[in-house]
Amino acid sequence: MIQTASGAGFGKTFSGLQGIKSIEDFDLKGNRVFIRLDLNVPMSGEAGALVITDETRIRAALPTLRYALEKGAKVVIASHLGRPESDEDRSKFTLEPVALRLGELLNCEVILVEEPNSDAPKALLAGLKPNQLLLLENVRFDKGETKNAAELANTIASYTDIYINDAFGASHRAHSTIDALPRLIAKRGCGFLIKKEVEALGGLLAGPAKPFVAIMGGSKVSDKIKIIEKMIEGIDTFLIGGAMAYTFIAAKGLGVGKSRVEKDRLAFAKELIERIEARGKKILLPVDHVVADDFLAPSKIEIVLGDSIPEGKVGLDIGPKTRAMYREEILRAKTVFWNGPMGVFERQEFANGSFAVAEALAGLTEKGGVSIVGGGDSAAAAEASGFAAKMTHISTGGGASLEYLEGAKLPGLEALRTVRESAAPSL
Ligand code: ADP
Ligand code: MG
């Protein structure tokens, strides 16, 4: 019997990890396993003395690496770092500090291969000892990476037996080591991080436990329109903060002073409030604000009560009453998704709103609820709050996690599917 593409859950519903093998499905022993990771960590300092300022992404890669090493694989790792443009940028965007840190965390020798597009790994792999692994230098040192070039993919494929993608944060890009390369390798699959990310984020799209509360903030409504539209049906309550709140407040005809407003999104914001309320759902806006006289050089910081903001003032965080109100809503939920900081959390004076949300999310998880954080800045705010460890899942994905929730197909996941959507599975 032949099934059609629309049968048995294929066709439209073909998504998530369907058709994708996991690293656990392969016999790794003695095989050359290429693992694409997202080790794009923030660094500070000058070239030659770079210091990793946040190693979350390195730690997130460890379960897959440890598994591969324990199973006796010959491991080659690759990652991008930043956006190097020319050869002069090499010393600024080297993975050397990452190699050192990985060696410490895994207690093994990490051999850095200077040229990502070279045959050097072939010979090195032949003599690789059990406590060694190879790390290719920043794959973006090869111009072919961002162009999804066949040449770079061919070089790597020539020494790869099994391909594993665990770079969730880079999987929304059709780049050579994410897209072209896995298509050349029959034995391909995902690592533990991608599995965890897709399961956590996918759970928000498919039947989250209710009530489901979304906390939306950050700098722009326009960045978040698609995700709001995609998730609107499932969500019971929206809590709005960050600069995004002022566009909603302005849409209601209230004063926002000098706060950041997207004038071309006022109509969307107004319509969204109406749509949410017409469905009997809630959208809450701040009822007080932390404001200053100036965005760049705030000298006079104060709390203003009420939903509007006085003339000449700029709103930079949600106020204490709003924090308490949002906390209550979060603790009443079963599932919470947070994207977008509640204020300019990079500055201590305006971080309280975001930290209060983080604390409430931790409280919810302790009660058995699900708390998921998506977005690069939101993840940074969650880390800075000190409550990150208590949340269900903080996506390492940034842009990739938002695109996934918007319903986009991520090239890095699509390239891994060994059962094609168009091909009818035969029984
Ligand atoms: P994410 O990366 O989590 O998706 P965004 O990139 O949308 O989040 O937004 C994060 C940025 O929004 C932060 O840099 C923060 O300073 C800024 N932001 C939050 N509140 C305000 C505000 N009231 N005014 C200006 N910028 C704000
Ligand atoms: Mg951001």
Side-chain angles (χ1 to χ4, degrees):
M1 193 188 108
I2 307 261
Q3 275 185 318
T4 58
S6 58
F10 284 85
K12 266 190 189 155
T13 55
F14 192 96
S15 62
L17 294 170
Q18 249 179 311
I20 298 179
K21 292 212 161 93
S22 137
I23 188 168
E24 292 167 294
D25 295 330
F26 302 104
D27 181 12
L28 304 185
K29 194 164 174 57
N31 277 309
R32 297 165 301 177
V33 180
F34 179 93
I35 307 178
R36 176 59 156 97
L37 299 172
D38 177 7
L39 302 174
N40 183 26
V41 288
M43 295 200 205
S44 68
E46 295 295 309
L50 293 167
V51 179
I52 299 167
T53 53
D54 178 359
E55 61 181 34
T56 308
R57 283 180 164 165
I58 298 180
R59 289 187 176 273
L62 295 178
T64 293
L65 291 174
R66 288 204 173 111
Y67 179 85
L69 293 170
E70 270 164 27
K71 294 287 172 186
K74 295 183 171 194
V75 175
V76 184
I77 315 171
S79 172
H80 68 287
L81 181 80
R83 294 169 194 267
E85 270 157 23
S86 63
D87 275 353
E88 283 91 80
D89 282 346
R90 282 200 171 222
S91 54
K92 227 168 84 194
F93 295 103
T94 174
L95 280 171
E96 225 172 275
V98 174
L100 282 172
R101 189 65 187 126
L102 266 180
E104 286 168 9
L105 289 166
L106 292 168
N107 196 21
C108 73
E109 187 187 346
V110 178
I111 301 167
L112 192 64
V113 180
E114 291 290 323
E115 193 45 67
N117 188 2
S118 81
D119 284 333
K122 230 180 243 177
L124 287 166
L125 279 164
L128 204 72
K129 299 196 185 93
N131 65 333
Q132 293 178 324
L133 60 84
L134 305 183
L135 169 64
L136 301 189
E137 249 302 4
N138 191 345
V139 280
R140 288 192 185 164
F141 286 174
D142 187 86
K143 290 278 168 290
E145 168 66 358
T146 53
K147 294 186 182 131
N148 207 11
E151 202 209 326
L152 175 62
N154 283 326
T155 307
I156 297 172
S158 75
Y159 58 76
T160 298
D161 300 316
I162 297 167
Y163 170 95
I164 298 296
N165 182 1
D166 213 18
F168 184 71
S171 288
H172 58 319
R173 312 229 183 261
H175 288 175
S176 190
T177 57
I178 296 284
D179 182 40
L181 172 61
R183 294 180 189 279
L184 301 173
I185 316 279
K187 290 183 181 174
R188 58 185 189 271
C190 69
F192 296 114
L193 177 62
I194 284 201
K195 222 171 152 181
K196 188 165 162 243
E197 292 275 6
V198 172
E199 275 164 8
L201 298 174
L204 292 178
L205 297 174
K210 303 257 205 171
F212 180 12
V213 171
I215 310 148
M216 304 295 293
S219 46
K220 288 191 201 153
V221 180
S222 48
D223 286 349
K224 311 289 163 77
I225 285 180
K226 276 199 202 151
I227 197 168
I228 294 175
E229 302 243 88
K230 172 84 184 172
M231 297 178 76
I232 189 168
E233 288 305 327
I235 290 166
D236 301 297
T237 304
F238 283 91
L239 310 178
I240 309 288
M244 185 192 277
Y246 313 122
T247 300
F248 282 94
I249 292 170
K252 291 180 98 175
L254 300 165
V256 289
K258 294 194 292 184
S259 309
R260 186 183 287 181
V261 167
E262 284 168 278
K263 291 214 173 69
D264 56 342
R265 300 296 171 189
L266 292 174
F268 171 83
K270 190 160 183 277
E271 193 224 4
L272 190 70
I273 295 174
E274 288 163 6
R275 271 167 67 191
I276 290 168
E277 289 178 345
R279 283 178 170 80
K281 300 175 176 194
K282 275 199 294 194
I283 174 163
L284 301 184
L285 297 174
V287 292
D288 59 350
H289 310 270
V290 179
V291 303
D293 46 349
D294 190 59
F295 179 78
L296 291 174
S299 56
K300 195 158 175 268
I301 297 168
E302 55 196 313
I303 290 163
V304 294
L305 286 174
D307 33 15
S308 64
I309 292 178
E311 279 297 308
K313 302 285 183 194
V314 50
L316 295 170
D317 195 9
I318 56 174
K321 270 180 99 167
T322 311
R323 299 203 293 260
M325 178 171 89
Y326 285 6
R327 180 189 157 77
E328 231 171 82
E329 291 290 340
I330 291 167
L331 290 173
R332 224 182 280 150
K334 288 255 165 35
T335 308
V336 175
F337 172 61
W338 176 26
N339 172 245
M342 296 290 98
V344 183
F345 76 99
E346 295 90 341
R347 295 208 290 248
Q348 208 189 339
E349 316 90 281
F350 311 116
N352 290 333
S354 302
F355 290 179
V357 162
E359 185 175 4
L361 256 61
L364 172 70
T365 318
E366 264 173 3
K367 289 196 332 181
V370 171
S371 57
I372 293 179
V373 184
D377 292 294
S378 313
E383 289 296 338
S385 75
F387 293 102
K390 291 198 174 147
M391 294 173 199
T392 310
H393 182 68
I394 299 178
S395 178
T396 55
S401 43
L402 299 191
E403 283 194 27
Y404 189 78
L405 290 172
E406 285 165 7
K409 291 198 166 182
L410 306 187
L413 295 186
E414 296 315 307
L416 293 181
R417 297 196 203 279
T418 42
V419 183
R420 291 267 145 238
E421 188 172 7
S422 54
S426 53
L427 294 178

